[in-house]
Amino acid sequence: MANRSTPLDKNTGRAAPNLWDLAAFLLVMGLVTLFAWGSREMALPYTPGERIPLSLDPVNLPEYALRTVLRMAAALALSLLFTFSYGTLAAKSRRAERILVPLLNILQSVPILGFLSVTVTGFIAMFPGKLLGVECAAIFAIFTSQAWNMAFSFYQSLKTIPSDLSEASVLFGLSPWQRFWKLDAPFAMPPLIWNMMMSVSGGWFFVVASEAITVGKTSVTLPGIGSYVAQAIHYRSLSAIGWALLTMLLVILVYDQLLFRPMVAWADKFKFETTESGEGSGSWVLTLFQRARLLRAAGRFLVNRWIRLTDLLPRRKQRASFHGSTQAAIPKAQEIVWNALLAIGVAGGAWLLVQFVGGEVDGAEIGKVFYLGFLTLVRVTVLLIIASLIWVPIGVYIGLNPKWATRVQPLAQFLAAFPANLFFPVAVFFMVHYHLSPEIWTAPLMILGTQWYILFNVIGGASAIPTDLREAARNFGVSGWKLWKTLLLPGIFPSLVTGLVTAAGGTWNASIVAEIVTWGNTTLTATGLGSYIAIWTEKGDYPRIALGIAVMSIYVLVLNRFFWQRLFTVSQTRYRLG
């Protein structure tokens, strides 16, 4: 019998279209047309050294905004593929985890300009005579600003899946592919969506660098909001900066309505709870597609075919033990060989680094660089503590109140997307005017763009706290600090650790541009590892650049091994939902 919400055509027996179908069709085709036009512009002929015109006339901003959004959308798609594959491998394989997790910490601390300098020549060579090569380099640069945060979130979610759900997947004999789509991905979806928001917003900070690329002595400026902002800063045009910020705000509002708000509302059904929340997130786009009869019928058809396809996959024949890991025990001989190969790889990399750096740098300077790294570490630690004290209570309140989350969502995305380097001239003015020490007052600039990792992860963690647990705490009269101690802090702890790890890596990265700030002829420098790397990058001294990045990576690895990894272990063993 047909459902009332989906009437059938009397002649064909199929779902009858309605006005909602027409509206959905026009919306989808409009987006497809815009993306097709923008993609055509990305594939135009281009010769290295050719200057691409860029104007500060606000009339061009809609086109520039579309070009930037296309790059960020492509980078987001790549980041999702990377997240699902990298995060799953790190969570499921003990051998891979020992390499992939520390490597992820290193990657997020490597300056984005380092990725550009290595990859841009290769991308241009892949598409000779086409602008697409430079576009791919820009997309990859934005990808490096999005992928690490999302991968950490997905990895952390997979490591904290409740044991009873894992046992159920074993009882039903689900194959790894079926388990991924029926358990892993749905369970990780709520915090992953909030991390996607943060990653897209954080990508705006790197758009300036990714759209103004230097290849040897040739500079390539791609049309986009980032390059528009860079040119406005170069010419000190406050009106152009204002137009760019207004355009950014409008773009963020549009993709919040068309993408993220529907995703947040859709992800509510994946919450791990037995009592449905009284309030939920709403989205007019989701409502539109739900009421479009023909589109809904087509979607149901595709979903059913996908389910049938996954059900055809072979299921597990052997059931793993419910106690301990479901992974097979690793033979001792294989473990020894694996450890030996890992040690040889690390030793080989260290020897190459010593050979490259040793000819130019003496032991005294190496010791000085480690001291500079310690100073930056102190700044990073203090900033993370202050940011946590501010944003954890705010994030929990927003996450527990869906209506407030809906209201704050676009504002938080805009604040996270606001280019932090636009604050640098203001900071320089105040430090010079009031004779403030750069050693202290440049530090807040490091956290401007990365504090939002903490907020977005805490919102995602708080929104995933089961409603039945919150109602139980309310019925028992648990409130105040006791509520925080027994429910809220344990509930958000895995997400908070993920946010702190990604914020720490981003802050180390941001120190390279925040410990030395310039406006006009005035330059202020703070003593630290970030300013050391920035100074020698400007001079083109690659051995010292490699030394600075290596020391930064060593600090990140040591902190990961002796601090963050222990917090991850605590979150996986003590603070998980079952």
Side-chain angles (χ1 to χ4, degrees), residues 3 22 34 69 104 110 125 162 211 220 226 274 325 327 445 499 504:
N3 193 316
L22 177 62
L34 287 176
V69 168
L104 205 56
V110 174
E211 291 182 349
V220 183
T274 56
S325 173
Q327 299 176 3
L445 301 177

Side-chain angles (χ1 to χ4, degrees), residues 53-352:
L54 184 69
S55 171
L56 289 182
D57 190 340
V59 175
N60 297 308
L61 275 172
E63 177 186 347
Y64 295 163
L66 177 59
R67 299 284 291 271
T68 297
V69 168
L70 284 176
R71 296 182 191 111
M72 298 185 74
L76 181 62
L78 293 175
S79 298
L80 278 174
L81 292 175
F82 174 84
T83 294
F84 288 150
S85 56
Y86 196 100
T88 302
L89 183 60
K92 302 295 183 181
S93 171
R94 290 181 179 177
R95 293 177 179 175
E97 182 181 27
R98 290 160 55 185
I99 298 177
L100 297 183
V101 175
L103 180 60
L104 205 56
N105 281 283
I106 294 175
L107 288 173
Q108 70 174 346
S109 65
V110 174
I112 187 173
L113 295 179
F115 290 110
L116 273 175
S117 60
V118 173
T119 60
V120 65
T121 305
F123 280 118
I124 292 177
M126 288 174 60
F127 303 96
K130 295 286 186 180
L131 188 62
L132 188 59
V134 185
E135 293 282 358
C136 287
I139 292 171
F140 181 77
I142 299 173
F143 161 83
T144 62
S145 69
Q146 296 178 349
W148 321 139
N149 174 51
M150 293 167 56
F152 261 122
S153 171
F154 194 72
Y155 161 78
Q156 179 65 31
S157 296
L158 295 189
K159 297 294 287 187
T160 56
I161 290 179
S163 56
D164 51 352
L165 293 183
S166 297
E167 293 173 5
S169 68
V170 174
L171 282 173
F172 286 111
L174 299 182
S175 67
W177 181 256
Q178 292 168 326
R179 175 189 163 110
F180 179 84
W181 290 110
K182 295 184 178 181
L183 174 59
D184 296 343
F187 181 83
M189 198 54 63
L192 178 60
I193 289 175
W194 282 96
N195 275 278
M196 287 171 60
M197 292 185 207
M198 177 61 232
S199 295
V200 172
S201 297
W204 285 97
F205 180 82
F206 296 100
V207 161
V208 176
S210 64
E211 291 182 349
I213 304 173
T214 300
V215 186
K217 298 181 180 180
T218 303
S219 295
V220 183
T221 302
L222 295 172
I225 294 182
S227 55
Y228 185 93
V229 170
Q231 188 160 327
I233 293 175
H234 177 73
Y235 289 108
R236 300 188 183 183
S237 176
L238 296 179
S239 61
I241 291 176
W243 282 112
L245 293 178
L246 178 60
T247 304
M248 284 177 54
L249 176 60
L250 294 176
V251 169
I252 290 170
L253 289 174
V254 169
Y255 70 60
D256 174 69
Q257 291 291 323
L258 296 181
L259 178 64
F260 287 125
R261 189 159 298 190
M263 292 182 70
V264 170
W266 169 73
D268 282 342
K269 66 180 182 179
F270 296 127
K271 286 185 178 180
F272 179 63
E273 57 187 15
T274 56
T275 303
E276 186 177 358
S277 175
E279 297 180 346
S281 304
S283 166
W284 65 268
V285 174
L286 191 61
T287 302
L288 170 65
F289 285 107
Q290 288 175 342
R291 294 182 179 179
R293 297 168 185 164
L294 189 62
L295 196 63
R296 188 176 181 182
R300 187 182 297 112
F301 174 81
L302 294 176
V303 169
N304 290 337
R305 291 299 179 272
W306 174 259
I307 292 175
R308 290 184 181 181
L309 178 63
T310 57
D311 287 341
L312 292 176
L313 296 173
R315 297 175 181 261
R316 298 189 183 196
K317 297 181 180 180
Q318 297 180 353
R319 296 176 181 174
S321 172
F322 292 157
H323 305 285
S325 173
T326 58
Q327 299 176 3
I330 301 175
K332 187 174 181 179
Q334 294 184 16
E335 185 73 7
I336 294 174
V337 173
W338 176 256
N339 291 336
L341 292 175
L342 185 60
I344 292 173
V346 172
W351 182 82
L352 291 174

Side-chain angles (χ1 to χ4, degrees), residues 399-479:
L400 295 180
N401 297 273
K403 289 185 178 180
W404 270 104
T406 301
R407 297 170 185 169
V408 174
Q409 186 175 315
L411 176 62
Q413 290 183 64
F414 176 72
L415 293 175
F418 191 92
N421 51 352
L422 294 184
F423 285 111
F424 291 3
V426 180
V428 172
F429 171 79
F430 276 98
M431 281 187 279
V432 172
H433 188 268
Y434 294 102
H435 306 286
L436 303 176
S437 173
E439 303 292 345
I440 298 175
W441 294 101
T442 56
L445 301 177
M446 296 165 53
I447 199 71
L448 284 177
T450 57
Q451 60 185 330
W452 310 109
Y453 289 112
I454 299 174
L455 174 63
F456 277 74
N457 276 279
V458 170
I459 292 175
S463 63
I465 295 177
T467 304
D468 44 1
L469 293 183
R470 292 160 54 187
E471 291 185 353
R474 189 182 302 112
N475 291 335
F476 284 110
V478 181
S479 61

